[in-house]
Amino acid sequence: MNHGNANWDGLFPTLASGDPDSREVLNAARVVTMPADQPVFRAGSPCENYVLLLEGSVRVQVIGEGGREAVLYRVLPGQSCVLTTCCILSGDDYPAEGFTETPVRALAVTKPSFDRALENAPAFRRFVFANLGGRIADVIARMEEVAFRPIERRLASCLLSRANERGAIHATHQEIAVELGTAREVVSRHLKRLEAAGLVELGRSTVRVSKPNELRRLANTPV
């Protein structure tokens, strides 16, 4: 994990235009960089820093008793991690794990600095709780989708969102299953159905969307 210079004003405008104490929190924060596919935190590890993402993407996921993985959410530039916020506020260990999906650059505020800023920096305090509330709402929406939206519609939406300009998705069935919070066998079965219907073409670790309009209609079909 390396250190570098921060340029955070554009990503966090409410803090940039806030009180001097709030700006000083970020100016004094440590800048960390990490390569892709590295663990940011693991389940059971303590939370020692409040992290604000400057560049890249972090995937937060849980692992069930049977070893099945499910993505909870992603942290993107201009955001903080909802689990990190909850754990640094409560003093609890992480209940899930986070991994960098791309090279990442972030600001790390130590817990003592975080605690002081909550008391003394109004703009920082408002940002922390506003971001926490918004991200919790996102997680609830994600859980509602996993629990109540049919797998066919979720799979169609996932393929459309991940397809590049040529309609290709470079991912294994297991990786798609993690994204959807289901089993690999379920994803494989439904992908074969889509292939039989002519909506996609399956290759080695690749899915190509053949008929995006029909797949979009499937994604938007009411229950």
Side-chain angles (χ1 to χ4, degrees):
M1 186 178 293
N2 298 318
H3 303 260
N5 295 320
N7 184 11
W8 55 266
D9 303 56
L11 286 171
F12 303 99
T14 57
L15 294 175
S17 61
D19 55 276
D21 287 338
S22 295
R23 293 195 298 272
E24 181 57 27
V25 173
L26 269 66
N27 286 331
R30 188 164 46 102
V31 181
V32 295
T33 60
M34 297 181 68
D37 302 317
Q38 294 296 308
V40 180
F41 53 82
R42 295 190 182 276
S45 62
C47 179
E48 299 174 340
N49 297 283
Y50 181 71
V51 179
L52 299 163
L53 202 63
L54 299 172
E55 297 174 7
S57 173
V58 174
R59 181 183 71 254
V60 179
Q61 62 188 37
V62 292
I63 301 179
E65 291 184 2
R68 182 186 300 174
E69 301 168 308
V71 174
L72 289 175
Y73 58 88
R74 286 178 170 80
V75 186
L76 302 174
Q79 298 177 343
S80 65
C81 171
V82 63
L83 283 184
T84 295
T85 307
C86 291
C87 291
I88 202 169
L89 285 169
S90 67
D92 292 336
D93 293 340
Y94 280 105
E97 58 186 18
F99 288 89
T100 57
E101 293 189 303
T102 64
V104 159
R105 187 164 163 267
L107 290 173
V109 180
T110 65
K111 181 167 173 51
S113 296
F114 176 85
D115 290 339
R116 286 194 300 271
L118 283 186
E119 292 189 12
N120 304 321
F124 181 80
R125 181 169 60 246
R126 288 193 297 270
F127 172 84
V128 167
F129 288 107
N131 187 82
L132 177 61
R135 298 314 307 279
I136 286 178
D138 292 341
V139 173
I140 291 173
R142 163 76 173 165
M143 294 300 98
E144 286 178 342
E145 179 174 273
V146 171
F148 302 119
R149 193 179 184 204
I151 183 64
E152 296 91 345
R153 292 176 59 194
R154 293 197 287 122
L155 176 58
S157 295
C158 176
L159 295 176
L160 289 167
S161 67
R162 295 188 60 166
N164 61 23
E165 64 276 4
R166 295 180 299 277
I169 300 98
H170 298 287
T172 65
H173 293 192
Q174 176 61 31
E175 289 169 339
I176 296 173
V178 170
E179 186 74 24
L180 297 177
T182 189
R184 179 187 59 79
E185 295 79 7
V186 173
V187 167
S188 296
R189 183 167 64 249
H190 285 282
L191 282 174
K192 288 176 182 176
R193 290 178 183 173
L194 293 177
E195 183 180 43
L199 274 62
V200 303
E201 297 175 8
L202 302 182
R204 185 176 179 84
S205 299
T206 305
V207 181
R208 192 179 75 81
V209 176
S210 306
K211 297 180 179 178
N213 290 336
E214 291 189 23
L215 198 62
R216 198 168 291 111
R217 280 195 291 272
L218 173 61
N220 295 326
T221 300
V223 177

